[in-house]
Amino acid sequence: MAEEKQGSSESKPQTETKPNNNNNRKPNPNRKPNGNKPAGEKSSGNKPNRNKNRNRHGRQPTPVDENLKSFVQKNQEGHKQRLNPHYKLDLNSTSKIRITPLGGLGEIGGNITVFETQNEAILVDVGMSFPDEDMHGVDILVPDFSYLREIRKKIVAVIITHAHEDHIGAMPYLYKEMQFPIYATPLPLAMIGNKFDEHHIKEARKHFNPIEKRKIYEIGNDFKIEWMHMTHSIIDSSSLAITTDAGTVIHTGDFKIDHTPVDGYTADLHRLAYYGDKGVLCLLSDSTNSYNIAPTPSELSVAPALDRVFSKAEGRVILSTFSSNIHRVQQAIQYGVKYGRKVCVIGRSMERNIEIAMQYDYVKFNKNIFIDADEVARMNDKDVLIVTTGSQGEPNSALFRMSIGEHRHIKIKPTDLIVLSSRAIPGNEGSISGMLNHLQKAGAKVATDKDIHVSGHASIEEQKLMLRLVNPKFFLPVHGEYNHVMKHKETGMMCGVPERNILLMTDGEQIEIAPKYMRKVKTVKTGKTYIDNQNNHQIEDDIVMDRQKLASDGIVMIVAQIDGQHSKMLAKPRVTTFGIVANKQDKAFAKEMEDVLEHFLIHLKDGLISNTRALENDLRQIVRKHIYRKMKKYPLIVPNVFVQ
Ligand SMILES: [Zn+2]
C-alpha cells in the first residue's frame, strides 16, 4: 500500500503572494514607502562599512539585494507549486477508482484493463497475444473473461486506444459472448469491424461509437473520457484521459514521441500538459522499451534507407513489414514509385489494411500504381515492388510460402532483393531465421539493415517526457514483462514520483486509487483461452495439456477384456506405446507392462471388476508407476476395459 502523508508539500497553494508583504526584512531607510520595485531595477543606497565587511580574501563582498533575494524565494516556491499540482486533487474526496489489468502485465501483448467506480466499469482495450512453443496447435491467446462475466452488469463501455492486434485482437471473442458500446477513433473501429465480419457477428458493428479527439465524452454516469492523439507504429493511436470523481487517470496506450511523423500529426503533448497542470491522480504508461537509452527515431528516419534500397536494387524488391504499420508501407510504396516500380500487394492482412487506410483517406495513392499478383510475371523485374506479409516468418504468410516455392504467383529469383522492414517479436527469431535460410537458398539477397526499421515505443527519454508532462501523483507502469515495468519505475522515481506512489502490477491484481492513497485490494481470476485460428474456436485447456504430454512423454494404450459374469480376464491385456521407446524395443517393453497388468488382474478382488471406471483408473496408476520407475516419464495413458 502506498499512502502519501499530507505533508507541507500537500498543503493548499498560498493564497496570494503580495510583493510588499515582507515582514522579515528591516525597513531600508533609503527606500521610499511602498518602494518595492520590480525585479531588475537597481536597489538604491545600502552602503556597507568597508573594513568590517571585507571577506577573507580581502575583497569587498558584493552587497546582497534583499529584494532580489526575495524573488528567488518566490520563484523557488513557484517551482514547488508547479511541480506538485497534486494539491489540486480533492484530498477530502471519498471517491476512488479501481484498476485491474486482466492481461498485458508480466507479458508483452494481450492488453485488457478494467477501470471501475462503485457502480460502473469500462474496459480499456481487448487484445490478444501469441502462444508459447509448447502450446501445440494454438494460434492465438485470448484473455480469460471470467472476471468480466462477474461484473458484466457494471460494464458500460469498451474503450480502444489503437488498432494493434494486442489491443483489439480479442474483440470478436468477447463480443460473441457479451456486447457493450465500443468507443474508439475510426481506424480501430474499421479494423474491429473487419474482425466482426470475419467472425460472422456483423451486427456487433451497431455498438460502434466513433469519437473525435480533443473532445470529452461522458460515458455511463461516472466516466468522462478524452482521446488525445499519440504517435506509434500504427496510425490513429490515442492516449486517454479518464476522469471520475476520484480524479483524472492518464493511460498512454502504446506510444512514442515522434516530432516528425509521416502524416505530420504529432503527439498531442499540449493536452497531456493541460491535464498535468490541472493535477493528475495516476499515470499508466507504456513500458515496452524501458531499457532503451537512445530516443526512438522518427518513422520518417527510415526514408533514406528505403531510398538507398530502391536506388540500388536491380531486380524485384520484395518488402515485408507489419501490415498494420501503414506509414511504413506508405513510405515503401512512395520510394518504389519514385524509382518507377509498380506495386503488388500480397497477403490478406496487408491487402485489407491498405484498403482500409485508402478507403478512410489516411493515405492517398493513385490506383494505377497497383498491379495484381498474376501480372507480376509479365513485368520487367526492375519495375516491380512486392509489399507483403510474413516479416515474422509465419508459416501461413505469403513471404514464407514464396521462400519454400509454394506461392501460386511469386517464385523467388536470384535477382530478388528481400527487405525485412521489421524487428523480430521475441519468440519469432527461430521462424524468421528459418525463412531467411529458405530465401537465401533460393538465391535471393536479403536486406535487414538496422536503419530500415524503427520502434513504435517510447525510450527512456520519451518516458521521462511523458512523466514530466503528466506529473502524476501515482504511477503504474504498464505493458511489459516484470523487468520492463521495474525499469520504468526507476525512471518514474527519477522524474519526481516518490517510490511509495508507484506500484508494479501483475495481471489480476486490483488496485484502488483515491486522492489520498493507492493500494492493492484483491486478486481476480486471470489466464488465457487458447484459440485455433483455422476455425476461430476455443481449444479447451485439457486438450493443450494432453498435446504437451504427447509431445514430451508419449502415449500408452491399454486394452483389457473382462468376463463380467465370472469376474475374470478373458485374455491377457494388450499394451501399445508411441513415443516412449524405440520401435525395436517396443515389443519387449509392452510385454513387461502386460505382465504387470496381468498379475494385477489375476489377483483382483471380486466386485471391482464390475466398476469399469475404477478398474481403468487402477490400470492407469499401475502403468504410470511402472513407466516412471523405469523412464522417469509421465506419458498420456489411455486404458480401455471391455466387460463382456
Ligand atoms: Zn501498439
Side-chain angles (χ1 to χ4, degrees), residues 162 164 166-167 232-234 254 457:
H162 67 290
H164 271 151
D166 56 339
H167 293 256
H232 182 40
S233 46
I234 187 166
D254 284 353
H457 295 276

Side-chain angles (χ1 to χ4, degrees), residues 111 125 161-167 232-234 237 253-255 286 288 324 456-457 479:
N111 297 290
D125 292 337
T161 60
H162 67 290
H164 271 151
E165 287 293 328
D166 56 339
H167 293 256
H232 182 40
S233 46
I234 187 166
S237 294
D254 284 353
F255 79 100
D286 177 7
T288 312
S324 58
H457 295 276
H479 300 173

Side-chain angles (χ1 to χ4, degrees), residues 18-43:
K18 290 180 191 158
N20 288 333
N21 184 9
N22 196 338
N23 299 326
N24 297 331
R25 212 172 47 188
K26 284 179 185 154
N28 184 336
N30 294 327
R31 195 181 289 276
K32 285 174 193 153
N34 296 328
N36 198 359
K37 290 167 190 163
E41 229 175 90
K42 267 186 190 171
S43 181

Side-chain angles (χ1 to χ4, degrees), residues 247-537:
T248 297
V249 176
I250 302 285
H251 189 314
T252 64
D254 284 353
F255 79 100
K256 70 177 186 181
I257 307 286
D258 190 340
H259 297 296
T260 54
V262 172
D263 57 11
Y265 301 147
T266 52
D268 199 345
L269 304 179
H270 300 84
R271 288 306 287 170
L272 289 166
Y274 161 78
Y275 282 105
D277 207 36
K278 256 179 82 174
V280 168
L281 179 67
C282 182
L283 168 69
L284 284 77
S285 183
D286 177 7
S287 308
T288 312
N289 277 356
S290 288
Y291 285 98
N292 288 14
I293 295 163
T296 306
S298 167
E299 177 58 36
L300 211 55
S301 72
V302 300
L306 288 171
D307 195 308
R308 189 183 66 227
V309 162
F310 283 106
S311 69
K312 286 185 182 159
E314 283 167 358
R316 298 186 300 193
V317 174
I318 302 176
L319 183 138
S320 183
T321 186
F322 300 108
S323 64
S324 58
N325 195 335
I326 303 294
H327 280 160
R328 184 70 47 79
V329 174
Q330 180 186 356
Q331 293 196 88
I333 292 176
Q334 275 171 355
Y335 282 98
V337 170
K338 174 181 170 188
Y339 289 95
R341 292 173 187 261
K342 294 279 183 189
V343 182
C344 173
V345 179
I346 299 181
R348 204 164 51 117
S349 62
M350 188 66 84
E351 290 167 35
R352 217 175 38 198
N353 288 345
I354 293 179
E355 187 186 24
I356 287 183
M358 288 174 70
Q359 279 172 341
Y360 291 99
D361 297 334
Y362 287 103
V363 292
K364 289 193 175 70
F365 289 121
N366 205 328
K367 287 232 165 75
N368 67 17
I369 63 167
F370 294 101
I371 53 170
D372 289 332
D374 58 2
E375 292 176 77
V376 169
R378 295 199 292 273
M379 307 272 304
N380 271 330
D381 287 351
K382 219 181 160 351
D383 298 335
V384 175
L385 161 63
I386 295 169
V387 177
T388 185
T389 52
S391 63
Q392 299 300 303
E394 307 95 316
N396 291 327
S397 68
L399 186 58
F400 187 86
R401 280 184 283 127
M402 290 175 204
S403 79
I404 56 171
E406 283 187 2
H407 195 274
R408 196 145 64 102
H409 297 294
I410 312 294
K411 305 280 174 247
I412 298 295
K413 300 178 182 183
T415 46
D416 287 342
L417 175 65
I418 318 287
V419 182
L420 290 190
S421 181
S422 60
R423 159 193 77 93
I425 291 174
N428 292 347
E429 295 86 351
S431 47
I432 295 174
S433 174
M435 184 178 71
L436 292 181
N437 293 338
H438 290 307
L439 287 167
Q440 289 176 6
K441 270 186 204 159
K445 285 191 287 293
V446 177
T448 53
D449 314 23
K450 276 217 166 64
D451 55 356
I452 278 177
H453 175 68
V454 293
S455 168
H457 295 276
S459 67
I460 292 176
E461 288 308 311
E462 296 150 270
Q463 289 174 343
K464 284 182 186 167
L465 178 58
M466 182 61 76
L467 280 151
R468 288 302 192 185
L469 282 171
V470 172
N471 206 0
K473 175 159 180 179
F474 298 110
F475 177 39
L476 295 169
V478 291
H479 300 173
E481 294 174 27
Y482 192 81
N483 69 89
H484 300 118
V485 292
M486 185 71 201
K487 185 73 188 164
H488 203 178
K489 175 186 175 177
E490 276 175 32
T491 306
M493 286 161 63
M494 283 165 72
C495 292
V497 186
E499 186 172 11
R500 63 179 181 276
N501 286 6
I502 307 175
L503 274 185
L504 303 187
M505 299 188 287
T506 53
D507 286 346
E509 281 185 348
Q510 189 160 89
I511 308 297
E512 184 174 273
I513 310 176
K516 266 188 189 163
Y517 67 84
M518 171 165 78
R519 67 182 173 210
K520 191 188 139 182
V521 282
K522 66 172 179 179
T523 304
V524 307
K525 185 167 183 280
T526 55
K528 297 291 178 199
T529 302
Y530 305 121
I531 305 290
D532 180 343
N533 254 357
Q534 302 303 314
N535 52 18
N536 291 331
H537 286 161

Side-chain angles (χ1 to χ4, degrees), residues 98 135 139 162 188 198 254 310 386 397 493 597 627 638:
R98 287 188 173 191
M135 299 174 188
D139 298 307
H162 67 290
E198 263 173 37
D254 284 353
F310 283 106
I386 295 169
S397 68
M493 286 161 63
L597 290 173
I627 292 181
V638 189

